[in-house]
Amino acid sequence: EGGAVGHTVPSDVGVLVRGGDVGALADAIASVVAEPSTRAEMAARSAAHARSLPGWPAQAAAFESAIRELLDG
């Protein structure tokens, strides 16, 4: 886990491991590689999550709005 990933990425779309924990990373990779059905399920859930997020134009507009509010406030 690093930064805001644990708060912004649903836990069912992948495997999170603590930064610097090489053993945990190796175990996570091995478990995903060994289980094709798990890999396919995670891929489907991550694609569905990605489709639920705002696109770049909406994100850019929200960012611009926040910056303008800071500058005007």
Side-chain angles (χ1 to χ4, degrees):
E1 290 182 47
V5 171
H7 301 287
T8 57
V9 178
S11 61
D12 64 346
V13 302
V15 180
L16 295 179
V17 297
R18 187 166 309 284
D21 191 340
V22 176
L25 178 59
D27 290 344
I29 292 170
S31 70
V32 172
V33 168
E35 295 293 333
S37 62
T38 299
R39 188 170 56 247
E41 290 169 8
M42 279 196 278
R45 288 190 298 262
S46 65
H49 177 65
R51 287 189 297 274
S52 76
L53 298 172
W56 284 110
Q59 287 295 97
F63 184 74
E64 178 185 16
S65 176
I67 295 298
R68 288 186 187 279
E69 185 177 318
L70 287 172
L71 294 175
D72 294 343

mmCIF file of all heavy atoms in Angstrom, residues 8-44:
data_model
loop_
_atom_site.group_PDB
_atom_site.id
_atom_site.type_symbol
_atom_site.label_atom_id
_atom_site.label_comp_id
_atom_site.label_asym_id
_atom_site.label_seq_id
_atom_site.Cartn_x
_atom_site.Cartn_y
_atom_site.Cartn_z
ATOM 1 N N THR A 8 -8.660 4.638 -2.236
ATOM 2 C CA THR A 8 -9.279 4.993 -3.507
ATOM 3 C C THR A 8 -9.488 3.823 -4.457
ATOM 4 O O THR A 8 -10.267 3.935 -5.396
ATOM 5 C CB THR A 8 -8.443 6.062 -4.244
ATOM 6 O OG1 THR A 8 -7.116 5.570 -4.424
ATOM 7 C CG2 THR A 8 -8.397 7.360 -3.463
ATOM 8 N N VAL A 9 -8.805 2.735 -4.225
ATOM 9 C CA VAL A 9 -8.930 1.568 -5.103
ATOM 10 C C VAL A 9 -9.654 0.471 -4.329
ATOM 11 O O VAL A 9 -9.209 0.079 -3.250
ATOM 12 C CB VAL A 9 -7.541 1.064 -5.562
ATOM 13 C CG1 VAL A 9 -7.677 -0.170 -6.431
ATOM 14 C CG2 VAL A 9 -6.808 2.166 -6.312
ATOM 15 N N PRO A 10 -10.772 -0.021 -4.854
ATOM 16 C CA PRO A 10 -11.492 -1.089 -4.150
ATOM 17 C C PRO A 10 -10.597 -2.310 -3.930
ATOM 18 O O PRO A 10 -9.785 -2.668 -4.781
ATOM 19 C CB PRO A 10 -12.639 -1.437 -5.097
ATOM 20 C CG PRO A 10 -12.813 -0.241 -5.971
ATOM 21 C CD PRO A 10 -11.436 0.359 -6.101
ATOM 22 N N SER A 11 -10.770 -2.955 -2.798
ATOM 23 C CA SER A 11 -9.906 -4.081 -2.438
ATOM 24 C C SER A 11 -10.120 -5.306 -3.316
ATOM 25 O O SER A 11 -9.253 -6.172 -3.377
ATOM 26 C CB SER A 11 -10.118 -4.467 -0.978
ATOM 27 O OG SER A 11 -11.459 -4.873 -0.771
ATOM 28 N N ASP A 12 -11.252 -5.368 -4.027
ATOM 29 C CA ASP A 12 -11.519 -6.564 -4.835
ATOM 30 C C ASP A 12 -11.036 -6.457 -6.279
ATOM 31 O O ASP A 12 -11.295 -7.339 -7.083
ATOM 32 C CB ASP A 12 -13.008 -6.914 -4.806
ATOM 33 C CG ASP A 12 -13.887 -5.851 -5.441
ATOM 34 O OD1 ASP A 12 -13.404 -4.720 -5.675
ATOM 35 O OD2 ASP A 12 -15.059 -6.146 -5.707
ATOM 36 N N VAL A 13 -10.308 -5.398 -6.609
ATOM 37 C CA VAL A 13 -9.818 -5.253 -7.982
ATOM 38 C C VAL A 13 -8.345 -5.630 -8.143
ATOM 39 O O VAL A 13 -7.813 -5.597 -9.243
ATOM 40 C CB VAL A 13 -10.044 -3.829 -8.551
ATOM 41 C CG1 VAL A 13 -11.505 -3.462 -8.518
ATOM 42 C CG2 VAL A 13 -9.206 -2.798 -7.825
ATOM 43 N N GLY A 14 -7.705 -5.980 -7.055
ATOM 44 C CA GLY A 14 -6.301 -6.335 -7.126
ATOM 45 C C GLY A 14 -5.810 -6.800 -5.773
ATOM 46 O O GLY A 14 -6.599 -7.071 -4.881
ATOM 47 N N VAL A 15 -4.512 -6.860 -5.635
ATOM 48 C CA VAL A 15 -3.895 -7.274 -4.382
ATOM 49 C C VAL A 15 -2.964 -6.156 -3.944
ATOM 50 O O VAL A 15 -2.084 -5.751 -4.701
ATOM 51 C CB VAL A 15 -3.089 -8.583 -4.571
ATOM 52 C CG1 VAL A 15 -2.455 -9.009 -3.261
ATOM 53 C CG2 VAL A 15 -3.968 -9.690 -5.137
ATOM 54 N N LEU A 16 -3.169 -5.663 -2.746
ATOM 55 C CA LEU A 16 -2.301 -4.619 -2.209
ATOM 56 C C LEU A 16 -1.298 -5.238 -1.257
ATOM 57 O O LEU A 16 -1.652 -6.106 -0.457
ATOM 58 C CB LEU A 16 -3.127 -3.573 -1.458
ATOM 59 C CG LEU A 16 -4.104 -2.754 -2.278
ATOM 60 C CD1 LEU A 16 -4.859 -1.785 -1.366
ATOM 61 C CD2 LEU A 16 -3.398 -2.003 -3.384
ATOM 62 N N VAL A 17 -0.070 -4.807 -1.356
ATOM 63 C CA VAL A 17 0.970 -5.229 -0.424
ATOM 64 C C VAL A 17 1.689 -3.993 0.092
ATOM 65 O O VAL A 17 1.722 -2.958 -0.580
ATOM 66 C CB VAL A 17 1.978 -6.214 -1.064
ATOM 67 C CG1 VAL A 17 1.305 -7.499 -1.485
ATOM 68 C CG2 VAL A 17 2.705 -5.590 -2.226
ATOM 69 N N ARG A 18 2.221 -4.113 1.280
ATOM 70 C CA ARG A 18 2.943 -2.993 1.882
ATOM 71 C C ARG A 18 4.216 -2.719 1.087
ATOM 72 O O ARG A 18 4.925 -3.651 0.690
ATOM 73 C CB ARG A 18 3.281 -3.328 3.332
ATOM 74 C CG ARG A 18 3.876 -2.170 4.093
ATOM 75 C CD ARG A 18 3.903 -2.401 5.581
ATOM 76 N NE ARG A 18 2.633 -2.818 6.155
ATOM 77 C CZ ARG A 18 1.589 -2.019 6.390
ATOM 78 N NH1 ARG A 18 1.657 -0.752 6.074
ATOM 79 N NH2 ARG A 18 0.491 -2.486 6.936
ATOM 80 N N GLY A 19 4.487 -1.445 0.842
ATOM 81 C CA GLY A 19 5.686 -1.048 0.121
ATOM 82 C C GLY A 19 6.939 -1.604 0.780
ATOM 83 O O GLY A 19 7.053 -1.579 2.007
ATOM 84 N N GLY A 20 7.834 -2.126 -0.016
ATOM 85 C CA GLY A 20 9.086 -2.663 0.487
ATOM 86 C C GLY A 20 9.030 -4.106 0.940
ATOM 87 O O GLY A 20 10.053 -4.696 1.249
ATOM 88 N N ASP A 21 7.828 -4.688 0.978
ATOM 89 C CA ASP A 21 7.687 -6.078 1.406
ATOM 90 C C ASP A 21 7.793 -6.990 0.189
ATOM 91 O O ASP A 21 6.807 -7.374 -0.423
ATOM 92 C CB ASP A 21 6.352 -6.283 2.126
ATOM 93 C CG ASP A 21 6.259 -7.630 2.812
ATOM 94 O OD1 ASP A 21 7.015 -8.561 2.447
ATOM 95 O OD2 ASP A 21 5.405 -7.757 3.719
ATOM 96 N N VAL A 22 9.017 -7.315 -0.166
ATOM 97 C CA VAL A 22 9.285 -8.094 -1.370
ATOM 98 C C VAL A 22 8.645 -9.473 -1.294
ATOM 99 O O VAL A 22 8.094 -9.975 -2.274
ATOM 100 C CB VAL A 22 10.813 -8.198 -1.612
ATOM 101 C CG1 VAL A 22 11.119 -9.089 -2.795
ATOM 102 C CG2 VAL A 22 11.412 -6.816 -1.806
ATOM 103 N N GLY A 23 8.676 -10.085 -0.129
ATOM 104 C CA GLY A 23 8.075 -11.407 0.028
ATOM 105 C C GLY A 23 6.573 -11.381 -0.209
ATOM 106 O O GLY A 23 6.025 -12.262 -0.884
ATOM 107 N N ALA A 24 5.906 -10.366 0.338
ATOM 108 C CA ALA A 24 4.460 -10.241 0.135
ATOM 109 C C ALA A 24 4.144 -9.990 -1.333
ATOM 110 O O ALA A 24 3.160 -10.523 -1.863
ATOM 111 C CB ALA A 24 3.892 -9.129 1.003
ATOM 112 N N LEU A 25 4.958 -9.191 -1.997
ATOM 113 C CA LEU A 25 4.753 -8.939 -3.421
ATOM 114 C C LEU A 25 4.923 -10.226 -4.220
ATOM 115 O O LEU A 25 4.102 -10.554 -5.077
ATOM 116 C CB LEU A 25 5.720 -7.868 -3.929
ATOM 117 C CG LEU A 25 5.645 -7.556 -5.419
ATOM 118 C CD1 LEU A 25 4.251 -7.073 -5.814
ATOM 119 C CD2 LEU A 25 6.703 -6.523 -5.791
ATOM 120 N N ALA A 26 5.962 -10.982 -3.917
ATOM 121 C CA ALA A 26 6.194 -12.246 -4.611
ATOM 122 C C ALA A 26 5.040 -13.215 -4.384
ATOM 123 O O ALA A 26 4.563 -13.869 -5.322
ATOM 124 C CB ALA A 26 7.509 -12.868 -4.144
ATOM 125 N N ASP A 27 4.554 -13.277 -3.157
ATOM 126 C CA ASP A 27 3.421 -14.155 -2.847
ATOM 127 C C ASP A 27 2.164 -13.719 -3.593
ATOM 128 O O ASP A 27 1.412 -14.546 -4.116
ATOM 129 C CB ASP A 27 3.142 -14.172 -1.344
ATOM 130 C CG ASP A 27 4.220 -14.877 -0.541
ATOM 131 O OD1 ASP A 27 5.039 -15.618 -1.145
ATOM 132 O OD2 ASP A 27 4.241 -14.685 0.692
ATOM 133 N N ALA A 28 1.923 -12.407 -3.637
ATOM 134 C CA ALA A 28 0.738 -11.895 -4.330
ATOM 135 C C ALA A 28 0.800 -12.206 -5.823
ATOM 136 O O ALA A 28 -0.192 -12.655 -6.411
ATOM 137 C CB ALA A 28 0.611 -10.392 -4.109
ATOM 138 N N ILE A 29 1.951 -11.989 -6.426
ATOM 139 C CA ILE A 29 2.115 -12.284 -7.849
ATOM 140 C C ILE A 29 1.926 -13.773 -8.105
ATOM 141 O O ILE A 29 1.203 -14.168 -9.030
ATOM 142 C CB ILE A 29 3.492 -11.796 -8.361
ATOM 143 C CG1 ILE A 29 3.538 -10.269 -8.346
ATOM 144 C CG2 ILE A 29 3.770 -12.344 -9.754
ATOM 145 C CD1 ILE A 29 4.921 -9.689 -8.598
ATOM 146 N N ALA A 30 2.536 -14.593 -7.274
ATOM 147 C CA ALA A 30 2.422 -16.047 -7.444
ATOM 148 C C ALA A 30 0.979 -16.505 -7.319
ATOM 149 O O ALA A 30 0.518 -17.355 -8.098
ATOM 150 C CB ALA A 30 3.299 -16.765 -6.426
ATOM 151 N N SER A 31 0.228 -15.931 -6.381
ATOM 152 C CA SER A 31 -1.159 -16.363 -6.200
ATOM 153 C C SER A 31 -2.030 -15.964 -7.382
ATOM 154 O O SER A 31 -2.892 -16.729 -7.809
ATOM 155 C CB SER A 31 -1.738 -15.813 -4.898
ATOM 156 O OG SER A 31 -1.931 -14.420 -4.976
ATOM 157 N N VAL A 32 -1.782 -14.802 -7.940
ATOM 158 C CA VAL A 32 -2.566 -14.360 -9.100
ATOM 159 C C VAL A 32 -2.195 -15.173 -10.344
ATOM 160 O O VAL A 32 -3.065 -15.584 -11.108
ATOM 161 C CB VAL A 32 -2.375 -12.843 -9.345
ATOM 162 C CG1 VAL A 32 -3.008 -12.406 -10.650
ATOM 163 C CG2 VAL A 32 -2.962 -12.048 -8.183
ATOM 164 N N VAL A 33 -0.923 -15.450 -10.521
ATOM 165 C CA VAL A 33 -0.475 -16.240 -11.664
ATOM 166 C C VAL A 33 -1.016 -17.666 -11.577
ATOM 167 O O VAL A 33 -1.418 -18.256 -12.578
ATOM 168 C CB VAL A 33 1.072 -16.235 -11.752
ATOM 169 C CG1 VAL A 33 1.576 -17.266 -12.745
ATOM 170 C CG2 VAL A 33 1.568 -14.839 -12.130
ATOM 171 N N ALA A 34 -1.064 -18.211 -10.363
ATOM 172 C CA ALA A 34 -1.481 -19.607 -10.175
ATOM 173 C C ALA A 34 -2.981 -19.820 -10.311
ATOM 174 O O ALA A 34 -3.423 -20.950 -10.500
ATOM 175 C CB ALA A 34 -1.023 -20.101 -8.803
ATOM 176 N N GLU A 35 -3.760 -18.757 -10.210
ATOM 177 C CA GLU A 35 -5.222 -18.884 -10.217
ATOM 178 C C GLU A 35 -5.836 -18.093 -11.374
ATOM 179 O O GLU A 35 -6.230 -16.944 -11.210
ATOM 180 C CB GLU A 35 -5.796 -18.387 -8.884
ATOM 181 C CG GLU A 35 -5.399 -19.200 -7.689
ATOM 182 C CD GLU A 35 -6.001 -20.603 -7.729
ATOM 183 O OE1 GLU A 35 -7.065 -20.793 -8.336
ATOM 184 O OE2 GLU A 35 -5.371 -21.506 -7.150
ATOM 185 N N PRO A 36 -5.973 -18.707 -12.546
ATOM 186 C CA PRO A 36 -6.541 -17.994 -13.694
ATOM 187 C C PRO A 36 -7.944 -17.439 -13.431
ATOM 188 O O PRO A 36 -8.269 -16.348 -13.888
ATOM 189 C CB PRO A 36 -6.575 -19.044 -14.798
ATOM 190 C CG PRO A 36 -5.572 -20.074 -14.394
ATOM 191 C CD PRO A 36 -5.557 -20.062 -12.896
ATOM 192 N N SER A 37 -8.755 -18.160 -12.674
ATOM 193 C CA SER A 37 -10.112 -17.666 -12.410
ATOM 194 C C SER A 37 -10.079 -16.418 -11.532
ATOM 195 O O SER A 37 -10.830 -15.469 -11.761
ATOM 196 C CB SER A 37 -10.977 -18.755 -11.773
ATOM 197 O OG SER A 37 -10.441 -19.144 -10.527
ATOM 198 N N THR A 38 -9.190 -16.408 -10.546
ATOM 199 C CA THR A 38 -9.039 -15.222 -9.696
ATOM 200 C C THR A 38 -8.561 -14.044 -10.522
ATOM 201 O O THR A 38 -9.060 -12.922 -10.387
ATOM 202 C CB THR A 38 -8.034 -15.506 -8.553
ATOM 203 O OG1 THR A 38 -8.529 -16.578 -7.767
ATOM 204 C CG2 THR A 38 -7.822 -14.286 -7.681
ATOM 205 N N ARG A 39 -7.583 -14.302 -11.390
ATOM 206 C CA ARG A 39 -7.046 -13.258 -12.266
ATOM 207 C C ARG A 39 -8.147 -12.696 -13.152
ATOM 208 O O ARG A 39 -8.296 -11.473 -13.289
ATOM 209 C CB ARG A 39 -5.897 -13.836 -13.085
ATOM 210 C CG ARG A 39 -5.130 -12.843 -13.886
ATOM 211 C CD ARG A 39 -3.853 -13.428 -14.482
ATOM 212 N NE ARG A 39 -4.082 -14.610 -15.309
ATOM 213 C CZ ARG A 39 -3.676 -15.841 -14.997
ATOM 214 N NH1 ARG A 39 -3.039 -16.071 -13.865
ATOM 215 N NH2 ARG A 39 -3.903 -16.852 -15.804
ATOM 216 N N ALA A 40 -8.975 -13.554 -13.726
ATOM 217 C CA ALA A 40 -10.063 -13.107 -14.605
ATOM 218 C C ALA A 40 -11.104 -12.308 -13.828
ATOM 219 O O ALA A 40 -11.605 -11.287 -14.321
ATOM 220 C CB ALA A 40 -10.706 -14.313 -15.283
ATOM 221 N N GLU A 41 -11.416 -12.759 -12.615
ATOM 222 C CA GLU A 41 -12.388 -12.027 -11.789
ATOM 223 C C GLU A 41 -11.869 -10.646 -11.421
ATOM 224 O O GLU A 41 -12.602 -9.657 -11.490
ATOM 225 C CB GLU A 41 -12.703 -12.827 -10.523
ATOM 226 C CG GLU A 41 -13.505 -14.084 -10.789
ATOM 227 C CD GLU A 41 -13.568 -14.998 -9.577
ATOM 228 O OE1 GLU A 41 -13.122 -14.593 -8.476
ATOM 229 O OE2 GLU A 41 -14.056 -16.130 -9.743
ATOM 230 N N MET A 42 -10.599 -10.566 -11.035
ATOM 231 C CA MET A 42 -10.014 -9.265 -10.702
ATOM 232 C C MET A 42 -9.997 -8.350 -11.922
ATOM 233 O O MET A 42 -10.271 -7.156 -11.813
ATOM 234 C CB MET A 42 -8.601 -9.424 -10.143
ATOM 235 C CG MET A 42 -8.576 -9.796 -8.693
ATOM 236 S SD MET A 42 -6.957 -9.544 -7.937
ATOM 237 C CE MET A 42 -6.129 -11.027 -8.433
ATOM 238 N N ALA A 43 -9.673 -8.903 -13.072
ATOM 239 C CA ALA A 43 -9.649 -8.108 -14.300
ATOM 240 C C ALA A 43 -11.029 -7.557 -14.614
ATOM 241 O O ALA A 43 -11.182 -6.377 -14.968
ATOM 242 C CB ALA A 43 -9.132 -8.948 -15.466
ATOM 243 N N ALA A 44 -12.053 -8.385 -14.468
ATOM 244 C CA ALA A 44 -13.424 -7.932 -14.745
ATOM 245 C C ALA A 44 -13.850 -6.859 -13.751
ATOM 246 O O ALA A 44 -14.453 -5.848 -14.136
ATOM 247 C CB ALA A 44 -14.383 -9.119 -14.696
#
